[in-house]
Amino acid sequence: MNRRFPVILLYGLLLLWSGSLRAQYVIRDAAEDRWYKNSIIYNLDVHTFKDSDGDGQGDFQGLIQQLDYLKGLGVDALWLAPFQPSPRRDDGYDVADFYGVDSTCGTPGDFAAFMYQAKLRGLRVIMDMVLNHTSDAHPWFKRARQDTASPYHQWYAWTQQRPSNYDKGMAFPGVQREVWSYDSVAKAWYYHRFYRFQPDLNFANPYLRSEAERILAYWLQQGVAGFRLDAVPFMIEVATPGVDQPPQQYEVITGMQRFVQWHNGSAIVLGEANVPPEDNVKYFGENGEGLQMMFNFYVNQYLFYAFATGKPALLVKALQDTKKKPATAQWAYFLRNHDEIDLGRLSTKQRNEVYQAFGPDTSMQLYDRGIRRRLAPMFNNNRPLMEMAYSLLFALPGTPVIRYGEEIGMGDDLRLQERLAVRTPMQWSSALQAGFTTAPKAFRPVISGGDYGYEKVNVAAQQQNPGSLLRVIQELIRLRRQCPEIGLGSWEIQQVAPAVLLMRYTFKGKSVLTLHNFSKMAQQVRLNAAAGDDYLLELTDKDKRQQLQPVNRRYDILLPGYGYKWYRVNAAL
Ligand code: GLC
C-alpha cells in the first residue's frame, strides 16, 4: 500500500468535513430556484406571427421557423395568445373547445412539433387560459341554453328577471351594452362581464371546477410551463343579480395553484388581475399559495403617467405600494400588451394628461379608460425615449414581458376595430406582406407605407443594423441577464432629482444601480455612496469600460435627456 495513503485519506476527510461545515452556512434562497422570477417572457399570437403554408394566417409551423430568432433575441419563455378552436369574435378569447387547436393555425400534431422544438431550444411555453367564460358557440353553452335541466345549465349564471344592475360593471364600456343579456332560447338572463357572445362560467359549481382542472391537466401533459390566466377577478366572482360587487371565491385560485403544482412542480399561473394594491395579497396568497405571478397593471398606469409628465414621483409610489408580496411571488412588468393601455386607476386629470401626450385623438382612445396604440407611435418614434422605456422595463423589479413587434418598434393600425389596432402581423422583412405570408393578402392587413410600414420597420433590416432598436433591445436583454439582482434581489429607491428614478437592487451581497431620466433635458445628479461602496462600474457604456470613483463619498453623474445608466457596485474592470 502506498505509504502516503493515510495522509491522503485524512486530507480527503478533512476536505469533506470542511465542505459539509461550509454547507451549513449557506441559506438556500427560495426565490433563486424559481425560473419565472428571473426570466424574460415574449408574448405572441400564432395567428399574426408567421404563416408557413401561404393561407394568409400565422400557424405553428411558421412559429417553429422563427424560434431561432426568439432564441437569438434572448427570451426564456413564450406566452401564446389563445390558439384553441374559436369563432374568434374576440380574437380567440372566445373559446369553443378547450382541448383543441384552432385549425387555421395548425393541427394538434403541429402544436406537439412546436412544443418539441421550443424545448430543444430551452424555451418554456405559457399559454393563455380563458376560463372566465366560453364562446356562446361552445357546446356547453348550447346545451345550457337549450336544456335548463341539463347539468351544463348550472355551469353558467342565470336569472329569471332582468337585474337592476344589468348594465353595470362592463369590461368594454362604449362597445358593450349590458352584463346580463336575455337569451330567448333559455328564456332567462345570463351573465357576461365581456362581450355578449362570451357567457361567464360559474365557478361556484363544483363540476365546472373539476372540468377546469382537467383542462389544466390536459395542457400540462402537453408540456406547457404554465398559464396566463385570463380575467382572474371576474373568474372567481359569484355572479349575483343586483349586486355590483359580487363575492369573490379566492379559494379557486389557491386550488388551481395547488392542482397545477401537483401536476408539474415548476409550472406557474400568471394572473391577469388589475386590482388595487391592497388586494394583491388575496391573489398572491399570504405565503405564496395563490398566483405565482401577476401583471403589475397598477404600476403600468403610473409608468405611462411618468412618461407623459416627465416626473416619476407617482411611479415611485406605485412601486412602493406594490412592493409587498410573498418571497416566491413575482410581478410581470410590461410596456405594451395585446389590449389597450388601461389608465382606469388614474384620476380624470391624470388620465387626460396621458391622453394628451400619447393618444390625443379620440380614435386612439378606448373603453373610456385607455389607449389602443403601440409604443413607437405613442412616443412619436422618439428613439432616446423608447430606449429609456425599454431599459426601464428590464430594470423594474420583476419579470419583463415583451409583446411581439415591440422589439422593432412596430406601429398600429387605427382603422382596425378596438384592440385589433395593436395586433397586426409581425414585420419580418421588406418582402411583400412583410415576409409574414406568401399569400397575396394577409388575413389582417400588414402595416405598409409611412414611418411604421414593413418597408421601413422589419426584423431583417434591423438585424443588419447595429444601431437599430432591435439590437439595443437584444443588448438590454443580455445586460439584464447579467444582473440577477433585479429579478431576485431586494430593492430601494433614492430620490436624487424630480425627473430621475434611481433604483438599487441587492442580491447575495452584490448590488446594481440603475438611473432613468424621464425628462428630455439632461440631468446632473449627485448620489451618496452607500456604506461599503468603493466605486461603480458602468454596465451600459459599451465604449469606455470605466470605474466611477466617489469624491467625498459622492458620485456625480450626468444623464443626457431620456438617458439611462446601469452600474454594478464594486465590480472590477
Ligand atoms: C382579457 C384579455 C382580453 C380579452 C378579455 C376577454 O382581458 O386580455 O384581450 O378580450 O380578457 O377574454
Side-chain angles (χ1 to χ4, degrees):
M1 197 171 83
N2 187 333
R3 281 199 352 256
R4 298 231 291 273
F5 184 71
V7 182
I8 295 169
L9 187 70
L10 189 66
Y11 184 65
L13 284 174
L14 261 174
L15 270 181
L16 272 175
W17 176 70
S18 65
S20 63
L21 246 193
R22 260 204 320 271
Q24 293 177 32
Y25 286 94
V26 177
I27 294 178
R28 191 182 64 85
D29 193 291
E32 203 181 0
D33 26 318
R34 312 273 169 155
W35 64 269
Y36 55 88
K37 292 210 66 163
N38 199 28
S39 283
I40 292 159
I41 301 178
Y42 188 93
N43 165 226
L44 66 95
D45 180 350
V46 183
H47 296 81
T48 52
F49 205 56
K50 173 83 181 173
D51 174 19
S52 72
D53 58 7
D55 69 352
Q57 303 228 31
D59 46 47
F60 277 109
Q61 289 297 339
L63 174 54
I64 291 173
Q65 291 169 11
Q66 304 312 105
L67 285 177
D68 292 317
Y69 163 74
L70 296 170
K71 187 72 190 168
L73 184 59
V75 303
D76 303 283
L78 310 180
W79 152 29
L80 303 187
F83 55 80
Q84 292 138 312
S86 156
R88 298 193 70 80
R89 294 174 69 191
D90 183 14
D91 220 17
Y93 284 90
D94 45 337
V95 176
D97 171 9
F98 287 104
Y99 296 99
V101 172
D102 174 15
S103 59
T104 60
C105 63
T107 63
D110 293 326
F111 177 75
F114 154 71
M115 291 300 289
Y116 178 70
Q117 292 297 331
K119 190 170 163 187
L120 275 186
R121 291 163 178 82
L123 293 166
R124 288 187 161 89
V125 177
I126 297 173
M127 67 182 282
D128 236 299
M129 186 48 69
V130 190
L131 292 172
N132 172 66
H133 49 261
T134 64
S135 157
D136 59 2
H138 195 291
W140 300 341
F141 189 66
K142 289 188 180 164
R143 280 288 293 280
R145 55 198 295 229
Q146 278 153 13
D147 178 4
T148 52
S150 111
Y152 291 108
H153 190 75
Q154 307 299 327
W155 288 25
Y156 297 87
W158 302 93
T159 180
Q160 293 312 309
Q161 264 143 38
R162 186 162 94 166
S164 54
N165 60 345
Y166 74 99
D167 59 354
K168 297 261 163 46
M170 287 174 296
F172 303 132
V175 177
Q176 207 179 331
R177 286 209 329 271
E178 48 196 18
V179 294
W180 289 98
S181 288
Y182 185 68
D183 179 47
S184 55
V185 180
K187 300 200 174 28
W189 278 260
Y190 67 94
Y191 189 61
H192 57 93
R193 275 287 190 173
F194 296 94
Y195 299 108
R196 190 191 169 97
F197 54 81
Q198 290 166 315
D200 274 30
L201 286 165
N202 170 21
F203 266 86
N205 183 295
Y207 298 99
L208 170 71
R209 285 191 192 182
S210 289
E211 180 64 17
E213 288 183 345
R214 271 189 293 274
I215 294 166
L216 298 172
Y218 175 82
W219 290 105
L220 287 167
Q221 291 309 315
Q222 310 283 313
V224 303
F227 303 97
R228 178 260 185 203
L229 192 60
D230 194 61
V232 184
F234 296 155
M235 187 190 90
I236 62 171
E237 74 187 359
V238 187
T240 319
V243 178
D244 287 352
Q245 307 266 318
Q248 305 283 100
Q249 312 163 92
Y250 294 106
E251 77 280 4
V252 171
I253 300 176
T254 29
M256 258 187 196
Q257 195 252 42
R258 212 180 309 123
F259 183 86
V260 166
Q261 295 246 301
W262 179 246
H263 275 254
N264 173 353
S266 68
I268 59 148
V269 185
L270 158 58
E272 184 207 20
N274 184 349
V275 293
E278 59 274 20
D279 285 354
N280 290 340
V281 61
K282 299 179 192 159
Y283 288 83
F284 280 141
E286 285 286 347
N287 298 302
E289 66 277 20
L291 302 166
Q292 286 94 340
M293 296 187 82
M294 282 202 275
F295 292 101
N296 200 330
F297 286 99
Y298 192 73
V299 159
N300 193 259
Q301 328 207 354
Y302 290 100
L303 181 61
F304 277 90
Y305 183 71
F307 289 140
T309 57
K311 295 191 194 86
L314 292 179
L315 168 63
V316 171
K317 183 168 182 306
L319 284 165
Q320 267 149 2
D321 288 348
T322 55
K323 187 169 190 174
K324 194 170 165 282
K325 59 173 176 53
T328 52
Q330 184 65 305
W331 286 118
Y333 287 105
F334 56 100
L335 290 175
R336 288 299 291 112
N337 64 14
H338 61 298
D339 290 328
E340 80 288 359
I341 298 175
D342 189 337
L343 303 167
R345 295 190 186 280
L346 300 183
S347 69
T348 310
K349 183 172 170 289
Q350 291 166 340
R351 190 164 41 252
N352 284 338
E353 283 176 79
V354 183
Y355 279 161
Q356 209 45 49
F358 301 135
D361 198 283
T362 48
S363 69
M364 300 164 175
Q365 301 161 12
L366 194 61
Y367 311 140
D368 305 332
R369 62 162 182 251
I371 300 181
R372 55 178 203 122
R373 299 184 82 190
R374 285 264 196 180
L375 194 79
M378 274 196 307
F379 286 3
N380 207 9
N381 242 344
N382 180 333
R383 266 299 284 280
L385 175 57
M386 282 160 67
E387 286 183 25
M388 186 279 272
Y390 285 111
S391 163
L392 183 59
L393 173 66
F394 293 111
L396 287 172
T399 294
V401 182
I402 318 168
R403 166 104 176 122
Y404 84 89
E406 274 193 87
E407 72 274 31
I408 52 170
M410 266 172 61
D412 42 53
D413 185 346
L414 294 173
R415 293 169 310 174
L416 299 176
Q417 231 184 27
E418 297 173 56
R419 293 154 294 149
L420 295 185
V422 297
R423 302 177 183 180
T424 60
M426 181 67 173
Q427 296 170 197
W428 292 108
S429 70
S430 63
L432 282 177
Q433 298 296 327
F436 163 70
T437 179
T438 52
K441 209 166 158 224
F443 81 106
R444 185 173 297 156
V446 166
I447 296 182
S448 77
D451 287 344
Y452 304 98
Y454 70 90
E455 303 85 345
K456 261 194 186 164
V457 176
N458 66 64
V459 170
Q462 294 199 21
Q463 271 173 331
Q464 301 300 312
N465 175 2
S468 67
L469 184 65
L470 177 62
R471 296 281 285 266
V472 169
I473 289 183
Q474 217 161 10
E475 183 61 26
L476 284 168
I477 292 177
R478 199 184 59 80
L479 187 57
R480 164 66 190 250
R481 291 213 170 287
Q482 298 166 28
C483 302
E485 290 93 333
I486 299 175
L488 301 176
S490 59
W491 56 269
E492 60 191 56
I493 294 176
Q494 268 176 50
Q495 219 70 74
V496 282
V500 176
L501 177 66
L502 164 59
M503 299 193 77
R504 183 187 175 111
Y505 326 77
T506 302
F507 183 64
K508 291 193 163 180
K510 286 167 81 182
S511 296
V512 163
L513 295 182
T514 64
L515 291 104
H516 290 87
N517 178 9
F518 284 74
S519 162
K520 60 172 183 269
M521 310 298 289
Q523 307 283 315
Q524 179 72 50
V525 297
R526 168 165 285 186
L527 48 131
N528 293 327
D533 289 8
D534 295 326
Y535 50 86
L536 302 177
L537 176 71
E538 183 174 347
L539 305 174
T540 29
D541 193 338
K542 290 185 294 297
D543 310 325
K544 315 182 251 89
R545 298 280 289 169
Q546 58 177 357
Q547 286 168 339
L548 186 64
Q549 307 286 343
V551 179
N552 299 327
R553 304 293 303 148
R554 284 183 178 144
Y555 301 106
D556 284 309
I557 297 176
L558 178 68
L559 285 167
Y562 297 132
Y564 61 90
K565 287 180 190 289
W566 295 31
Y567 296 95
R568 171 158 276 121
V569 177
N570 295 350
L573 269 177

